[in-house]
PDB file of all heavy atoms in Angstrom:
ATOM      1  N   VAL M  64       0.106  14.312  20.475  1.00 51.00           N
ATOM      2  CA  VAL M  64      -0.597  15.496  20.923  1.00 51.00           C
ATOM      3  C   VAL M  64       0.358  16.360  21.732  1.00 51.00           C
ATOM      4  O   VAL M  64       1.088  15.849  22.573  1.00 51.00           O
ATOM      5  CB  VAL M  64      -1.791  15.103  21.828  1.00 51.00           C
ATOM      6  CG1 VAL M  64      -2.539  16.321  22.298  1.00 51.00           C
ATOM      7  CG2 VAL M  64      -2.711  14.137  21.121  1.00 51.00           C
ATOM      8  N   ASP M  65       0.353  17.659  21.483  1.00 50.00           N
ATOM      9  CA  ASP M  65       1.032  18.596  22.380  1.00 50.00           C
ATOM     10  C   ASP M  65      -0.031  19.058  23.361  1.00 50.00           C
ATOM     11  O   ASP M  65      -1.108  19.471  22.967  1.00 50.00           O
ATOM     12  CB  ASP M  65       1.571  19.811  21.611  1.00 50.00           C
ATOM     13  CG  ASP M  65       2.886  19.510  20.936  1.00 50.00           C
ATOM     14  OD1 ASP M  65       3.547  18.543  21.346  1.00 50.00           O
ATOM     15  OD2 ASP M  65       3.241  20.240  20.006  1.00 50.00           O
ATOM     16  N   MET M  66       0.268  18.988  24.640  1.00 52.00           N
ATOM     17  CA  MET M  66      -0.726  19.326  25.657  1.00 52.00           C
ATOM     18  C   MET M  66      -0.094  20.278  26.663  1.00 52.00           C
ATOM     19  O   MET M  66       0.962  19.995  27.214  1.00 52.00           O
ATOM     20  CB  MET M  66      -1.163  18.026  26.343  1.00 52.00           C
ATOM     21  CG  MET M  66      -2.339  18.137  27.217  1.00 52.00           C
ATOM     22  SD  MET M  66      -2.862  16.456  27.620  1.00 52.00           S
ATOM     23  CE  MET M  66      -4.342  16.804  28.505  1.00 52.00           C
ATOM     24  N   ASP M  68       1.071  21.951  29.881  1.00 47.00           N
ATOM     25  CA  ASP M  68       1.292  21.298  31.162  1.00 47.00           C
ATOM     26  C   ASP M  68       2.199  22.154  32.017  1.00 47.00           C
ATOM     27  O   ASP M  68       3.391  22.180  31.828  1.00 47.00           O
ATOM     28  CB  ASP M  68       1.912  19.916  30.935  1.00 47.00           C
ATOM     29  CG  ASP M  68       2.060  19.137  32.220  1.00 47.00           C
ATOM     30  OD1 ASP M  68       1.168  19.214  33.072  1.00 47.00           O
ATOM     31  OD2 ASP M  68       3.082  18.466  32.378  1.00 47.00           O
ATOM     32  N   ARG M  72       5.005  22.467  27.197  1.00 85.00           N
ATOM     33  CA  ARG M  72       4.219  21.637  26.283  1.00 85.00           C
ATOM     34  C   ARG M  72       5.018  20.374  26.005  1.00 85.00           C
ATOM     35  O   ARG M  72       6.094  20.435  25.456  1.00 85.00           O
ATOM     36  CB  ARG M  72       3.949  22.392  24.989  1.00 85.00           C
ATOM     37  CG  ARG M  72       3.061  23.631  25.219  1.00 85.00           C
ATOM     38  CD  ARG M  72       2.825  24.392  23.946  1.00 85.00           C
ATOM     39  NE  ARG M  72       2.120  23.628  22.959  1.00 85.00           N
ATOM     40  CZ  ARG M  72       0.789  23.463  22.935  1.00 85.00           C
ATOM     41  NH1 ARG M  72       0.048  24.021  23.838  1.00 85.00           N
ATOM     42  NH2 ARG M  72       0.221  22.755  21.990  1.00 85.00           N
ATOM     43  N   TYR M  73       4.456  19.245  26.417  1.00 91.00           N
ATOM     44  CA  TYR M  73       5.132  17.970  26.240  1.00 91.00           C
ATOM     45  C   TYR M  73       4.495  17.184  25.107  1.00 91.00           C
ATOM     46  O   TYR M  73       3.353  17.445  24.713  1.00 91.00           O
ATOM     47  CB  TYR M  73       5.107  17.179  27.554  1.00 91.00           C
ATOM     48  CG  TYR M  73       5.954  17.856  28.608  1.00 91.00           C
ATOM     49  CD1 TYR M  73       5.371  18.492  29.691  1.00 91.00           C
ATOM     50  CD2 TYR M  73       7.329  17.889  28.484  1.00 91.00           C
ATOM     51  CE1 TYR M  73       6.147  19.137  30.640  1.00 91.00           C
ATOM     52  CE2 TYR M  73       8.118  18.533  29.424  1.00 91.00           C
ATOM     53  CZ  TYR M  73       7.515  19.145  30.498  1.00 91.00           C
ATOM     54  OH  TYR M  73       8.288  19.791  31.425  1.00 91.00           O
ATOM     55  N   THR M  74       5.223  16.226  24.593  1.00 91.00           N
ATOM     56  CA  THR M  74       4.778  15.456  23.437  1.00 91.00           C
ATOM     57  C   THR M  74       4.235  14.109  23.895  1.00 91.00           C
ATOM     58  O   THR M  74       4.995  13.234  24.297  1.00 91.00           O
ATOM     59  CB  THR M  74       5.943  15.248  22.446  1.00 91.00           C
ATOM     60  OG1 THR M  74       6.513  16.524  22.153  1.00 91.00           O
ATOM     61  CG2 THR M  74       5.448  14.603  21.160  1.00 91.00           C
ATOM     62  N   TYR M  75       2.924  13.974  23.826  1.00 92.00           N
ATOM     63  CA  TYR M  75       2.242  12.759  24.254  1.00 92.00           C
ATOM     64  C   TYR M  75       1.962  11.872  23.052  1.00 92.00           C
ATOM     65  O   TYR M  75       1.668  12.354  21.974  1.00 92.00           O
ATOM     66  CB  TYR M  75       0.899  13.113  24.928  1.00 92.00           C
ATOM     67  CG  TYR M  75       1.058  13.829  26.243  1.00 92.00           C
ATOM     68  CD1 TYR M  75       1.353  15.189  26.282  1.00 92.00           C
ATOM     69  CD2 TYR M  75       0.927  13.151  27.430  1.00 92.00           C
ATOM     70  CE1 TYR M  75       1.510  15.848  27.492  1.00 92.00           C
ATOM     71  CE2 TYR M  75       1.072  13.804  28.651  1.00 92.00           C
ATOM     72  CZ  TYR M  75       1.370  15.145  28.667  1.00 92.00           C
ATOM     73  OH  TYR M  75       1.524  15.792  29.857  1.00 92.00           O
ATOM     74  N   ARG M  76       2.014  10.574  23.293  1.00 94.00           N
ATOM     75  CA  ARG M  76       1.690   9.603  22.246  1.00 94.00           C
ATOM     76  C   ARG M  76       0.764   8.566  22.862  1.00 94.00           C
ATOM     77  O   ARG M  76       1.041   8.027  23.930  1.00 94.00           O
ATOM     78  CB  ARG M  76       2.958   8.948  21.733  1.00 94.00           C
ATOM     79  CG  ARG M  76       2.681   7.878  20.695  1.00 94.00           C
ATOM     80  CD  ARG M  76       3.944   7.399  20.072  1.00 94.00           C
ATOM     81  NE  ARG M  76       4.383   8.456  19.165  1.00 94.00           N
ATOM     82  CZ  ARG M  76       5.388   8.335  18.330  1.00 94.00           C
ATOM     83  NH1 ARG M  76       6.078   7.239  18.294  1.00 94.00           N
ATOM     84  NH2 ARG M  76       5.709   9.313  17.523  1.00 94.00           N
ATOM     85  N   ILE M  77      -0.333   8.308  22.174  1.00 95.00           N
ATOM     86  CA  ILE M  77      -1.305   7.314  22.628  1.00 95.00           C
ATOM     87  C   ILE M  77      -1.417   6.248  21.543  1.00 95.00           C
ATOM     88  O   ILE M  77      -1.576   6.573  20.372  1.00 95.00           O
ATOM     89  CB  ILE M  77      -2.704   7.957  22.849  1.00 95.00           C
ATOM     90  CG1 ILE M  77      -2.616   9.188  23.771  1.00 95.00           C
ATOM     91  CG2 ILE M  77      -3.690   6.919  23.382  1.00 95.00           C
ATOM     92  CD1 ILE M  77      -2.103   8.910  25.151  1.00 95.00           C
ATOM     93  N   TYR M  78      -1.312   4.994  21.923  1.00 96.00           N
ATOM     94  CA  TYR M  78      -1.413   3.910  20.942  1.00 96.00           C
ATOM     95  C   TYR M  78      -2.092   2.690  21.557  1.00 96.00           C
ATOM     96  O   TYR M  78      -2.112   2.524  22.768  1.00 96.00           O
ATOM     97  CB  TYR M  78      -0.027   3.549  20.396  1.00 96.00           C
ATOM     98  CG  TYR M  78       0.942   3.028  21.434  1.00 96.00           C
ATOM     99  CD1 TYR M  78       1.077   1.658  21.682  1.00 96.00           C
ATOM    100  CD2 TYR M  78       1.715   3.905  22.188  1.00 96.00           C
ATOM    101  CE1 TYR M  78       1.958   1.185  22.636  1.00 96.00           C
ATOM    102  CE2 TYR M  78       2.601   3.446  23.136  1.00 96.00           C
ATOM    103  CZ  TYR M  78       2.714   2.079  23.360  1.00 96.00           C
ATOM    104  OH  TYR M  78       3.581   1.611  24.316  1.00 96.00           O
ATOM    105  N   VAL M  87      -2.218   2.804  25.473  1.00 97.00           N
ATOM    106  CA  VAL M  87      -1.059   3.146  26.293  1.00 97.00           C
ATOM    107  C   VAL M  87      -0.641   4.564  25.944  1.00 97.00           C
ATOM    108  O   VAL M  87      -0.585   4.937  24.772  1.00 97.00           O
ATOM    109  CB  VAL M  87       0.102   2.167  26.046  1.00 97.00           C
ATOM    110  CG1 VAL M  87       1.356   2.613  26.779  1.00 97.00           C
ATOM    111  CG2 VAL M  87      -0.297   0.763  26.464  1.00 97.00           C
ATOM    112  N   GLY M  88      -0.350   5.337  26.969  1.00 95.00           N
ATOM    113  CA  GLY M  88       0.131   6.694  26.778  1.00 95.00           C
ATOM    114  C   GLY M  88       1.577   6.801  27.204  1.00 95.00           C
ATOM    115  O   GLY M  88       1.961   6.253  28.236  1.00 95.00           O
ATOM    116  N   THR M  89       2.381   7.478  26.391  1.00 95.00           N
ATOM    117  CA  THR M  89       3.770   7.767  26.737  1.00 95.00           C
ATOM    118  C   THR M  89       4.026   9.236  26.433  1.00 95.00           C
ATOM    119  O   THR M  89       3.264   9.882  25.711  1.00 95.00           O
ATOM    120  CB  THR M  89       4.754   6.901  25.931  1.00 95.00           C
ATOM    121  OG1 THR M  89       4.581   7.155  24.538  1.00 95.00           O
ATOM    122  CG2 THR M  89       4.554   5.408  26.208  1.00 95.00           C
ATOM    123  N   VAL M  90       5.102   9.757  26.993  1.00 93.00           N
ATOM    124  CA  VAL M  90       5.469  11.147  26.727  1.00 93.00           C
ATOM    125  C   VAL M  90       6.972  11.171  26.451  1.00 93.00           C
ATOM    126  O   VAL M  90       7.764  10.642  27.221  1.00 93.00           O
ATOM    127  CB  VAL M  90       5.043  12.090  27.878  1.00 93.00           C
ATOM    128  CG1 VAL M  90       5.711  11.741  29.177  1.00 93.00           C
ATOM    129  CG2 VAL M  90       5.270  13.537  27.525  1.00 93.00           C
ATOM    130  N   ALA M  91       7.355  11.752  25.318  1.00 93.00           N
ATOM    131  CA  ALA M  91       8.740  11.708  24.846  1.00 93.00           C
ATOM    132  C   ALA M  91       9.729  12.288  25.846  1.00 93.00           C
ATOM    133  O   ALA M  91      10.832  11.769  26.001  1.00 93.00           O
ATOM    134  CB  ALA M  91       8.853  12.422  23.501  1.00 93.00           C
ATOM    135  N   GLU M  92       9.369  13.358  26.515  1.00 95.00           N
ATOM    136  CA  GLU M  92      10.281  14.025  27.436  1.00 95.00           C
ATOM    137  C   GLU M  92      10.483  13.254  28.742  1.00 95.00           C
ATOM    138  O   GLU M  92      11.429  13.526  29.485  1.00 95.00           O
ATOM    139  CB  GLU M  92       9.781  15.449  27.742  1.00 95.00           C
ATOM    140  CG  GLU M  92       9.823  16.387  26.557  1.00 95.00           C
ATOM    141  CD  GLU M  92       8.606  16.284  25.627  1.00 95.00           C
ATOM    142  OE1 GLU M  92       7.756  15.388  25.830  1.00 95.00           O
ATOM    143  OE2 GLU M  92       8.513  17.112  24.719  1.00 95.00           O
ATOM    144  N   PHE M  93       9.603  12.317  29.029  1.00 95.00           N
ATOM    145  CA  PHE M  93       9.694  11.481  30.227  1.00 95.00           C
ATOM    146  C   PHE M  93       9.572  10.014  29.790  1.00 95.00           C
ATOM    147  O   PHE M  93       8.534   9.385  29.973  1.00 95.00           O
ATOM    148  CB  PHE M  93       8.577  11.823  31.217  1.00 95.00           C
ATOM    149  CG  PHE M  93       8.631  13.222  31.766  1.00 95.00           C
ATOM    150  CD1 PHE M  93       7.947  14.251  31.142  1.00 95.00           C
ATOM    151  CD2 PHE M  93       9.385  13.498  32.898  1.00 95.00           C
ATOM    152  CE1 PHE M  93       8.002  15.544  31.640  1.00 95.00           C
ATOM    153  CE2 PHE M  93       9.445  14.788  33.411  1.00 95.00           C
ATOM    154  CZ  PHE M  93       8.759  15.822  32.776  1.00 95.00           C
ATOM    155  N   PRO M  94      10.630   9.444  29.221  1.00 94.00           N
ATOM    156  CA  PRO M  94      10.527   8.101  28.635  1.00 94.00           C
ATOM    157  C   PRO M  94      10.199   6.988  29.633  1.00 94.00           C
ATOM    158  O   PRO M  94       9.743   5.915  29.223  1.00 94.00           O
ATOM    159  CB  PRO M  94      11.890   7.879  27.995  1.00 94.00           C
ATOM    160  CG  PRO M  94      12.791   8.903  28.552  1.00 94.00           C
ATOM    161  CD  PRO M  94      11.944  10.037  29.038  1.00 94.00           C
ATOM    162  N   ASP M  95      10.371   7.241  30.926  1.00 95.00           N
ATOM    163  CA  ASP M  95      10.056   6.213  31.915  1.00 95.00           C
ATOM    164  C   ASP M  95       8.583   6.212  32.323  1.00 95.00           C
ATOM    165  O   ASP M  95       8.139   5.301  33.023  1.00 95.00           O
ATOM    166  CB  ASP M  95      10.946   6.380  33.153  1.00 95.00           C
ATOM    167  CG  ASP M  95      10.744   7.724  33.838  1.00 95.00           C
ATOM    168  OD1 ASP M  95      10.620   8.751  33.134  1.00 95.00           O
ATOM    169  OD2 ASP M  95      10.708   7.753  35.090  1.00 95.00           O
ATOM    170  N   LEU M  96       7.824   7.210  31.903  1.00 95.00           N
ATOM    171  CA  LEU M  96       6.400   7.262  32.258  1.00 95.00           C
ATOM    172  C   LEU M  96       5.556   6.553  31.201  1.00 95.00           C
ATOM    173  O   LEU M  96       5.783   6.696  30.012  1.00 95.00           O
ATOM    174  CB  LEU M  96       5.927   8.711  32.400  1.00 95.00           C
ATOM    175  CG  LEU M  96       6.534   9.519  33.538  1.00 95.00           C
ATOM    176  CD1 LEU M  96       5.913  10.913  33.580  1.00 95.00           C
ATOM    177  CD2 LEU M  96       6.358   8.811  34.875  1.00 95.00           C
ATOM    178  N   ARG M  97       4.555   5.834  31.692  1.00 96.00           N
ATOM    179  CA  ARG M  97       3.664   5.073  30.803  1.00 96.00           C
ATOM    180  C   ARG M  97       2.354   4.902  31.548  1.00 96.00           C
ATOM    181  O   ARG M  97       2.352   4.671  32.757  1.00 96.00           O
ATOM    182  CB  ARG M  97       4.337   3.730  30.554  1.00 96.00           C
ATOM    183  CG  ARG M  97       3.633   2.768  29.705  1.00 96.00           C
ATOM    184  CD  ARG M  97       4.544   1.520  29.581  1.00 96.00           C
ATOM    185  NE  ARG M  97       4.040   0.635  28.579  1.00 96.00           N
ATOM    186  CZ  ARG M  97       3.057  -0.221  28.744  1.00 96.00           C
ATOM    187  NH1 ARG M  97       2.459  -0.324  29.911  1.00 96.00           N
ATOM    188  NH2 ARG M  97       2.651  -0.982  27.766  1.00 96.00           N
ATOM    189  N   TYR M  98       1.230   4.993  30.818  1.00 96.00           N
ATOM    190  CA  TYR M  98      -0.066   4.829  31.459  1.00 96.00           C
ATOM    191  C   TYR M  98      -0.976   4.039  30.518  1.00 96.00           C
ATOM    192  O   TYR M  98      -1.155   4.416  29.360  1.00 96.00           O
ATOM    193  CB  TYR M  98      -0.692   6.197  31.771  1.00 96.00           C
ATOM    194  CG  TYR M  98      -1.877   6.107  32.681  1.00 96.00           C
ATOM    195  CD1 TYR M  98      -1.719   6.174  34.060  1.00 96.00           C
ATOM    196  CD2 TYR M  98      -3.161   5.944  32.170  1.00 96.00           C
ATOM    197  CE1 TYR M  98      -2.814   6.076  34.911  1.00 96.00           C
ATOM    198  CE2 TYR M  98      -4.254   5.850  33.012  1.00 96.00           C
ATOM    199  CZ  TYR M  98      -4.081   5.914  34.378  1.00 96.00           C
ATOM    200  OH  TYR M  98      -5.156   5.818  35.225  1.00 96.00           O
ATOM    201  N   ALA M 106      -6.247   7.140  28.780  1.00 95.00           N
ATOM    202  CA  ALA M 106      -4.786   6.989  28.766  1.00 95.00           C
ATOM    203  C   ALA M 106      -4.111   8.357  28.750  1.00 95.00           C
ATOM    204  O   ALA M 106      -3.147   8.599  29.485  1.00 95.00           O
ATOM    205  CB  ALA M 106      -4.348   6.158  27.564  1.00 95.00           C
ATOM    206  N   LEU M 107      -4.613   9.266  27.937  1.00 93.00           N
ATOM    207  CA  LEU M 107      -4.046  10.610  27.872  1.00 93.00           C
ATOM    208  C   LEU M 107      -4.244  11.343  29.193  1.00 93.00           C
ATOM    209  O   LEU M 107      -3.323  11.971  29.717  1.00 93.00           O
ATOM    210  CB  LEU M 107      -4.671  11.395  26.715  1.00 93.00           C
ATOM    211  CG  LEU M 107      -4.157  12.815  26.521  1.00 93.00           C
ATOM    212  CD1 LEU M 107      -2.657  12.834  26.271  1.00 93.00           C
ATOM    213  CD2 LEU M 107      -4.901  13.476  25.365  1.00 93.00           C
ATOM    214  N   LEU M 110      -1.964   9.828  31.920  1.00 93.00           N
ATOM    215  CA  LEU M 110      -0.574  10.185  31.682  1.00 93.00           C
ATOM    216  C   LEU M 110      -0.319  11.644  32.026  1.00 93.00           C
ATOM    217  O   LEU M 110       0.710  11.989  32.612  1.00 93.00           O
ATOM    218  CB  LEU M 110      -0.195   9.905  30.224  1.00 93.00           C
ATOM    219  CG  LEU M 110       1.274  10.145  29.884  1.00 93.00           C
ATOM    220  CD1 LEU M 110       2.185   9.241  30.699  1.00 93.00           C
ATOM    221  CD2 LEU M 110       1.491   9.919  28.395  1.00 93.00           C
ATOM    222  N   HIS M 111      -1.274  12.488  31.694  1.00 92.00           N
ATOM    223  CA  HIS M 111      -1.146  13.909  32.016  1.00 92.00           C
ATOM    224  C   HIS M 111      -1.000  14.100  33.525  1.00 92.00           C
ATOM    225  O   HIS M 111      -0.190  14.916  33.989  1.00 92.00           O
ATOM    226  CB  HIS M 111      -2.345  14.682  31.475  1.00 92.00           C
ATOM    227  CG  HIS M 111      -2.208  16.152  31.620  1.00 92.00           C
ATOM    228  ND1 HIS M 111      -2.908  16.865  32.560  1.00 92.00           N
ATOM    229  CD2 HIS M 111      -1.418  17.047  30.984  1.00 92.00           C
ATOM    230  CE1 HIS M 111      -2.570  18.131  32.488  1.00 92.00           C
ATOM    231  NE2 HIS M 111      -1.668  18.273  31.540  1.00 92.00           N
ATOM    232  N   LEU M 113       0.274  11.883  35.637  1.00 93.00           N
ATOM    233  CA  LEU M 113       1.618  11.419  35.989  1.00 93.00           C
ATOM    234  C   LEU M 113       2.677  12.470  35.669  1.00 93.00           C
ATOM    235  O   LEU M 113       3.601  12.692  36.452  1.00 93.00           O
ATOM    236  CB  LEU M 113       1.952  10.122  35.242  1.00 93.00           C
ATOM    237  CG  LEU M 113       1.221   8.859  35.654  1.00 93.00           C
ATOM    238  CD1 LEU M 113       1.680   7.684  34.781  1.00 93.00           C
ATOM    239  CD2 LEU M 113       1.440   8.557  37.122  1.00 93.00           C
ATOM    240  N   VAL M 114       2.557  13.112  34.521  1.00 93.00           N
ATOM    241  CA  VAL M 114       3.518  14.142  34.134  1.00 93.00           C
ATOM    242  C   VAL M 114       3.445  15.316  35.105  1.00 93.00           C
ATOM    243  O   VAL M 114       4.477  15.828  35.560  1.00 93.00           O
ATOM    244  CB  VAL M 114       3.296  14.604  32.674  1.00 93.00           C
ATOM    245  CG1 VAL M 114       4.108  15.848  32.355  1.00 93.00           C
ATOM    246  CG2 VAL M 114       3.642  13.475  31.712  1.00 93.00           C
ATOM    247  N   HIS M 115       2.244  15.732  35.420  1.00 92.00           N
ATOM    248  CA  HIS M 115       2.063  16.837  36.362  1.00 92.00           C
ATOM    249  C   HIS M 115       2.731  16.502  37.703  1.00 92.00           C
ATOM    250  O   HIS M 115       3.446  17.329  38.287  1.00 92.00           O
ATOM    251  CB  HIS M 115       0.579  17.139  36.557  1.00 92.00           C
ATOM    252  CG  HIS M 115       0.317  18.213  37.559  1.00 92.00           C
ATOM    253  ND1 HIS M 115       0.553  19.542  37.317  1.00 92.00           N
ATOM    254  CD2 HIS M 115      -0.140  18.136  38.830  1.00 92.00           C
ATOM    255  CE1 HIS M 115       0.251  20.247  38.383  1.00 92.00           C
ATOM    256  NE2 HIS M 115      -0.173  19.420  39.316  1.00 92.00           N
ATOM    257  N   ARG M 117       5.201  14.334  38.223  1.00 94.00           N
ATOM    258  CA  ARG M 117       6.645  14.272  38.049  1.00 94.00           C
ATOM    259  C   ARG M 117       7.247  15.670  37.996  1.00 94.00           C
ATOM    260  O   ARG M 117       8.272  15.933  38.612  1.00 94.00           O
ATOM    261  CB  ARG M 117       6.979  13.490  36.782  1.00 94.00           C
ATOM    262  CG  ARG M 117       8.471  13.432  36.440  1.00 94.00           C
ATOM    263  CD  ARG M 117       9.318  12.660  37.463  1.00 94.00           C
ATOM    264  NE  ARG M 117       8.855  11.311  37.643  1.00 94.00           N
ATOM    265  CZ  ARG M 117       9.224  10.286  36.877  1.00 94.00           C
ATOM    266  NH1 ARG M 117      10.052  10.467  35.875  1.00 94.00           N
ATOM    267  NH2 ARG M 117       8.741   9.083  37.110  1.00 94.00           N
ATOM    268  N   VAL M 118       6.624  16.569  37.254  1.00 93.00           N
ATOM    269  CA  VAL M 118       7.118  17.950  37.168  1.00 93.00           C
ATOM    270  C   VAL M 118       7.114  18.582  38.566  1.00 93.00           C
ATOM    271  O   VAL M 118       8.093  19.220  38.968  1.00 93.00           O
ATOM    272  CB  VAL M 118       6.282  18.787  36.171  1.00 93.00           C
ATOM    273  CG1 VAL M 118       6.592  20.266  36.296  1.00 93.00           C
ATOM    274  CG2 VAL M 118       6.532  18.304  34.742  1.00 93.00           C
ATOM    275  N   PRO M 129      12.594  18.556  32.346  1.00 94.00           N
ATOM    276  CA  PRO M 129      12.891  18.473  30.917  1.00 94.00           C
ATOM    277  C   PRO M 129      12.207  19.578  30.116  1.00 94.00           C
ATOM    278  O   PRO M 129      11.038  19.893  30.343  1.00 94.00           O
ATOM    279  CB  PRO M 129      12.334  17.109  30.506  1.00 94.00           C
ATOM    280  CG  PRO M 129      12.302  16.317  31.768  1.00 94.00           C
ATOM    281  CD  PRO M 129      12.022  17.317  32.851  1.00 94.00           C
ATOM    282  N   PRO M 131      10.387  20.915  26.970  1.00 92.00           N
ATOM    283  CA  PRO M 131       9.573  20.283  25.927  1.00 92.00           C
ATOM    284  C   PRO M 131      10.270  20.334  24.563  1.00 92.00           C
ATOM    285  O   PRO M 131      10.920  21.324  24.232  1.00 92.00           O
ATOM    286  CB  PRO M 131       8.300  21.121  25.914  1.00 92.00           C
ATOM    287  CG  PRO M 131       8.235  21.716  27.284  1.00 92.00           C
ATOM    288  CD  PRO M 131       9.665  21.985  27.653  1.00 92.00           C
ATOM    289  N   TYR M 132      10.148  19.264  23.796  1.00 89.00           N
ATOM    290  CA  TYR M 132      10.760  19.221  22.458  1.00 89.00           C
ATOM    291  C   TYR M 132      10.277  20.365  21.587  1.00 89.00           C
ATOM    292  O   TYR M 132      11.034  20.921  20.802  1.00 89.00           O
ATOM    293  CB  TYR M 132      10.480  17.885  21.760  1.00 89.00           C
ATOM    294  CG  TYR M 132      11.346  16.771  22.290  1.00 89.00           C
ATOM    295  CD1 TYR M 132      10.807  15.764  23.076  1.00 89.00           C
ATOM    296  CD2 TYR M 132      12.704  16.735  22.006  1.00 89.00           C
ATOM    297  CE1 TYR M 132      11.606  14.740  23.566  1.00 89.00           C
ATOM    298  CE2 TYR M 132      13.507  15.715  22.502  1.00 89.00           C
ATOM    299  CZ  TYR M 132      12.947  14.720  23.278  1.00 89.00           C
ATOM    300  OH  TYR M 132      13.738  13.724  23.773  1.00 89.00           O
TER     301      TYR M 132
END
Side-chain angles (χ1 to χ4, degrees):
V64 180
D65 279 340
M66 191 168 186
D68 185 39
R72 295 179 63 81
Y73 293 109
T74 307
Y75 292 79
R76 177 172 286 188
I77 307 299
Y78 62 93
V87 174
T89 60
V90 62
E92 293 84 354
F93 297 92
D95 61 319
L96 295 183
R97 179 178 190 280
Y98 192 90
L107 181 59
L110 184 61
H111 187 254
L113 290 179
V114 169
H115 177 74
R117 176 65 57 86
V118 168
Y132 283 108

